Amino acid sequence: MSETRRVNTPTSFWSTGFNDWYMVWKWRELLWSMVIANIKSKYKGSALGITWALLRPLATLLVYTLAVGYFLGASRQIPEFGLFLFAGLIAYNFFSDAIVAGTQAITSNSNLVKKIWFPREILPLATMGVAIVNTLFQFAVLCLAYLVLSDAPDAGALPYLIPGFLILLLLGLAASLVLSVVNVRYRDTQFIIEIVLQIGFWLTPIIYSWRYAVDFFNQTWNAQWLSDFYVYNPLTQAIIAFQQALWPPMTTAAGIDFKLFDSWLSASLWISVAISVILLWAAQRFFATRQGALAAQL
Amino acid sequence: MHRERSLKEWFASGMRSRSEKFWALKDVSFTVDSGVTVGLIGRNGSGKSTLLKVIGGILQPTKGHVEVSGRMAALLELGAGFNPDMTGRENIFLNSAIMGISKQRTRNLFEEIVDFSGIREFIDTPVKFYSSGMYMRLGFSIAIHTDPELLLIDEVLAVGDEEFAAKCLRKIRQFQSEGRTIILVTHDMDTVLEFCQQAVLLRHGELVGVGDPREVITTYRSTVEEREIPLRAPSTGPARVAHVSWLSGREGNWVNALDPVGLEIKLEGSNVAAGVVVRLEVWSDDGLLLFETDTHMHGLKLPTFDHELKVRFDLAALHLGAGSYHLSVEVAPDPDAIPWDRIENAYTFIMTGTDKGKGKVGIRANAAIA
């Protein structure tokens, strides 16, 4: 007879969580299957299929460029405004798509959770996977825009995407892990989070430069701490990293005012990554202590 | 267990934690040897399915733990986790992945799964177009092919049409002969008697009996009887059935298929005219009248009586298969009249079946080289 093992025992918050991540690794095939199944069933039966994943960001890009760039005149201060906007938008859409879907990751799979055991972390991870795939489509639209405008960022700037993407991935996962569990007991969470993400869109430097906000906090409100918080919170850091990587004028003289980091190895970026890692650890521990009760609560 | 709440309720209750708690399972402790088939029995709400979910790791116990060895598969709901938009083929891979089977192994098992399910021609059709029978066939086929050493089954022992159900039962038999462990939840005592070497009885989340299925079922029956008090309306005539007693052929609640049975029915009444008819009926668990006899059929004319009269029925062996049955008794003024008094479920008893046979009837059989 083989070794006995304990089934789904309660765990303490204070643990590395290594075992849980190992289980996720062992079930990685399910993760891929779920991501693929999700994307397949989302576009199945529609005539344009996966093309819709391209059309939505394209429409956003065009309408924002027109309304904010030209009508509101943002393009007078920010050259290549459409690309500037899209760089931030890719980052923020990725983050918000991941969290909106992640919040509902468990409630929308209640039938699975109630009937079959598997590492529950797979569910928010799968929604994150779907968000990554959608983001790749947005990158395709961006490349298309580069071609049309015959302008492209400096290849040397692309490594900024590494910390930028890492921050969003880790933060998004951390938020999904916590919110997916909270949403099981308080279904209001999914609605609250949509409002919060909408507010977040305007409070992060996506359709304007971070410098405007910093100047306002420093000069009008005279609140240095607020401008520091604004710039150094991981979300803003990630968005600026995306802009430094993807907005072509950044490496020219015109971009000097929009620059925050001197290098993609900039300390503040990697401190943000480190903070995100710690948050993800804490989120996973929260998840691990709660996941056992999920099937009873759904 | 927690009741689901919305934020509104949370605010309304003044932010006090107001979840109502009770123990769904308490002090349930038992061991199952490998290779044994165990039946979990108990009334609705006694915690059987909860226990199965705890064993399966789907629910985490607040206290205590479950230890298992070997690969486990839970058949709590067939086809749970199917994606309706995906084809049968795609769902085989998805469902196997959910149960932790690698893509490579699923590929190797694929033909076998499809063959067993018997729905090869629809394997590339989205499962939302499947009939419920096809859905369950595929679900059962996948689960059974994941090669579990411990199989947890919740009332889904046999699914689909007769042919497929028989196939399922054969597969279960094969599992047993291969020394795999099965834990099944069921309300069907025949299944427990037929398949299980061990039974576990739960009542209100507590362990009431564990061990030999016959003994445990007897305990279960005796608790069920507390609830199923014989149904009766007040007598509409001068006589009523006062008591039914077994004179012979019974051990506890157990009756042997081949033993003769003697029953005595006591009537009470005052100045009852001669010629009343006493009727005895044997019913199966699922509501089938198996046998009925009355004093009129036997040409027995009951005398006039005051106070009480006892009537005795002697039945040669009942020849019924293993399972649970009950007796109903009535008294009527004449053979065709509406009875004055009737006791529904006057007695519940369990037939042991014959030890050298099984099925709906119990027949003494012999086998020899001819």
Side-chain angles (χ1 to χ4, degrees):
Chain A
M1 203 165 119
S2 50
E3 285 275 290
T4 62
R5 62 173 195 279
R6 288 197 175 189
V7 176
N8 202 358
T9 43
T11 50
S12 133
F13 182 89
W14 298 106
S15 141
T16 56
F18 175 80
N19 261 338
D20 298 329
W21 290 112
Y22 175 67
M23 287 311 279
V24 168
W25 174 248
K26 273 176 74 175
W27 292 70
R28 62 193 180 279
E29 282 190 5
L30 173 60
L31 184 54
W32 309 143
S33 305
M34 280 192 162
V35 172
I36 291 163
N38 191 312
I39 292 168
K40 263 190 187 167
S41 68
K42 185 171 176 184
Y43 295 107
K44 202 159 237 180
S46 70
L48 291 181
I50 207 94
T51 324
W52 285 114
L54 298 172
L55 290 177
R56 195 173 62 111
L58 196 64
T60 322
L61 173 64
L62 292 176
V63 80
Y64 271 77
T65 309
L66 185 70
V68 184
Y70 294 106
F71 298 170
L72 284 175
S75 60
R76 282 194 289 277
Q77 284 119 39
I78 304 176
E80 296 284 19
F81 179 74
L83 294 177
F84 176 85
L85 172 74
F86 206 63
L89 212 53
I90 286 183
Y92 198 77
N93 277 350
F94 168 51
F95 185 69
S96 87
D97 282 359
I99 292 180
V100 168
T103 303
Q104 295 170 50
I106 289 170
T107 46
S108 60
N109 285 294
S110 59
N111 201 32
L112 269 184
V113 174
K114 281 193 286 189
K115 302 291 179 189
I116 308 176
W117 184 86
F118 57 92
R120 306 306 190 203
E121 284 91 346
I122 294 282
L123 292 171
L125 277 167
T127 56
M128 173 55 82
V130 173
I132 291 175
V133 173
N134 282 334
T135 303
L136 292 179
F137 283 107
Q138 304 208 8
F139 270 105
V141 172
L142 184 68
C143 291
L144 202 73
Y146 288 148
L147 277 177
V148 171
L149 300 168
S150 60
D151 196 357
D154 194 51
L158 290 179
Y160 279 109
L161 283 179
I162 299 169
F165 185 74
L166 272 177
I167 293 169
L168 295 176
L169 177 78
L170 299 169
L171 273 188
L173 260 182
S176 297
L177 282 168
V178 172
L179 294 171
S180 62
V181 168
V182 175
N183 194 43
V184 170
R185 281 202 74 185
Y186 305 107
R187 299 294 168 110
D188 307 71
T189 313
Q190 63 200 63
F191 306 109
I192 295 171
I193 211 66
E194 278 180 33
I195 298 174
V196 170
L197 285 168
Q198 213 169 19
I199 294 169
F201 174 80
W202 294 94
L203 289 185
T204 44
I206 297 166
I207 62 164
Y208 53 87
S209 162
W210 58 272
R211 203 170 279 283
Y212 304 167
V214 166
D215 288 348
F216 174 80
F217 288 138
N218 284 344
Q219 289 156 21
T220 313
W221 282 7
N222 203 12
Q224 175 71 35
W225 64 272
L226 205 54
S227 72
D228 283 348
F229 177 77
Y230 181 84
V231 171
Y232 292 105
N233 82 74
L235 190 53
T236 313
Q237 293 268 309
I239 286 167
I240 299 173
F242 265 64
Q243 288 165 349
Q244 290 205 205
L246 301 174
W247 184 50
M250 194 60 96
T251 43
T252 67
I256 206 81
D257 266 356
F258 301 91
K259 227 183 184 123
L260 180 68
F261 314 113
D262 296 325
S263 134
W264 67 278
L265 291 168
S266 159
S268 73
L269 263 178
W270 289 93
I271 289 172
S272 286
V273 173
I275 292 172
S276 306
V277 169
I278 293 168
L279 287 176
L280 178 59
W281 168 81
Q284 193 278 327
R285 293 320 300 154
F286 173 82
F287 189 93
T289 57
R290 299 293 191 283
Q291 59 89 16
L294 290 177
Q297 289 171 352
L298 276 164
Chain B
M1 293 214 158
H2 301 275
R3 215 162 55 81
E4 195 173 285
R5 301 192 308 162
S6 72
L7 268 188
K8 201 167 100 186
E9 282 176 71
W10 189 57
F11 283 120
S13 63
M15 298 194 184
R16 283 187 314 268
S17 175
R18 207 188 50 173
S19 49
E20 296 131 32
K21 291 186 180 177
F22 69 94
W23 291 104
L25 288 172
K26 203 176 178 200
D27 291 334
V28 176
S29 178
F30 61 96
T31 312
V32 175
D33 290 330
S34 73
V36 169
T37 301
V38 182
L40 281 183
I41 57 176
R43 284 187 221 157
N44 289 331
S46 58
K48 305 182 295 291
S49 295
T50 307
L51 178 56
L52 208 61
K53 283 183 175 179
V54 170
I55 298 171
I58 294 156
L59 284 174
Q60 195 174 65
T62 358
K63 281 181 187 164
H65 63 267
V66 175
E67 269 179 40
V68 301
S69 74
R71 242 193 67 75
M72 179 160 63
L75 270 76
L76 299 188
E77 188 183 301
L78 294 174
F82 276 1
N83 183 325
D85 290 317
M86 289 169 58
T87 65
R89 180 189 301 275
E90 290 168 322
N91 270 306
I92 289 178
F93 283 95
L94 180 62
N95 218 254
S96 306
I98 293 173
M99 290 189 273
I101 307 298
S102 74
K103 200 169 249 177
Q104 188 51 49
R105 261 198 58 208
T106 311
R107 223 171 269 139
N108 296 339
L109 289 171
F110 185 81
E111 290 302 315
E112 233 178 291
I113 294 175
V114 176
D115 278 342
F116 189 87
S117 71
I119 52 164
R120 180 174 289 279
E121 47 184 323
F122 304 108
I123 204 66
D124 288 310
T125 309
V127 297
K128 64 180 168 190
F129 298 123
Y130 280 21
S131 71
S132 57
M134 288 157 71
Y135 207 83
M136 290 198 292
R137 277 166 167 241
L138 192 61
F140 189 90
S141 187
I142 297 170
I144 213 87
H145 282 90
T146 56
D147 191 34
E149 285 152 74
L150 170 58
L151 188 64
L152 309 178
I153 305 179
D154 195 352
E155 315 229 36
V156 283
L157 206 50
V159 298
D161 53 30
E162 221 167 76
E163 189 198 333
F164 191 71
K167 214 163 157 186
C168 294
L169 293 179
R170 272 203 302 278
K171 194 77 187 177
I172 300 283
R173 288 281 184 210
Q174 185 198 327
F175 263 54
Q176 289 183 313
S177 65
E178 287 165 357
R180 297 171 204 253
T181 313
I182 301 173
I183 300 181
L184 61 95
V185 163
T186 182
H187 285 286
D188 184 14
M189 295 307 130
D190 293 350
T191 307
V192 177
L193 287 171
E194 204 181 328
F195 282 95
C196 302
Q197 290 92 50
Q198 190 181 343
V200 172
L201 172 62
L202 294 176
R203 190 195 300 158
H204 306 310
E206 288 179 51
L207 189 69
V208 183
V210 55
D212 177 63
R214 290 183 178 197
E215 285 168 22
V216 175
I217 289 175
T218 310
T219 316
Y220 176 56
R221 288 294 176 199
S222 65
T223 65
V224 168
E225 267 178 289
E226 285 166 20
R227 184 184 47 133
E228 284 179 5
I229 303 161
L231 292 170
R232 63 185 304 174
S235 172
T236 54
R240 58 185 281 267
V241 179
H243 190 65
V244 181
S245 48
W246 289 73
L247 299 176
S248 60
R250 184 172 69 99
E251 266 178 74
N253 278 331
W254 294 93
V255 178
N256 188 294
L258 303 175
D259 286 352
V261 168
L263 291 158
E264 190 179 79
I265 296 160
K266 188 167 91 176
L267 302 178
E268 277 179 3
S270 50
N271 297 319
V272 183
V276 298
V277 173
V278 176
R279 186 170 294 121
L280 171 72
E281 299 166 353
V282 180
W283 291 80
S284 73
D285 216 9
D286 47 3
L288 207 64
L289 177 58
L290 299 172
F291 179 72
E292 100 175 72
T293 185
D294 62 37
T295 48
H296 178 75
M297 291 183 197
H298 294 279
L300 182 68
K301 194 169 180 342
L302 298 191
T304 173
F305 70 97
D306 204 12
H307 297 309
E308 65 168 59
L309 179 72
K310 286 178 179 168
V311 176
R312 182 184 167 126
F313 283 102
D314 279 295
L315 311 174
L318 289 178
H319 287 305
L320 293 171
S324 135
Y325 301 86
H326 57 261
L327 296 178
S328 293
V329 177
E330 61 182 34
V331 56
D334 64 72
D336 303 312
I338 295 168
W340 285 332
D341 189 24
R342 174 179 172 86
I343 309 186
E344 205 83 59
N345 297 335
Y347 228 106
T348 301
F349 61 97
I350 305 160
M351 299 297 298
T352 57
T354 43
D355 52 357
K356 287 168 194 160
K358 56 188 179 188
K360 297 282 178 203
V361 295
I363 297 171
R364 187 195 307 277
N366 256 316
I369 313 271

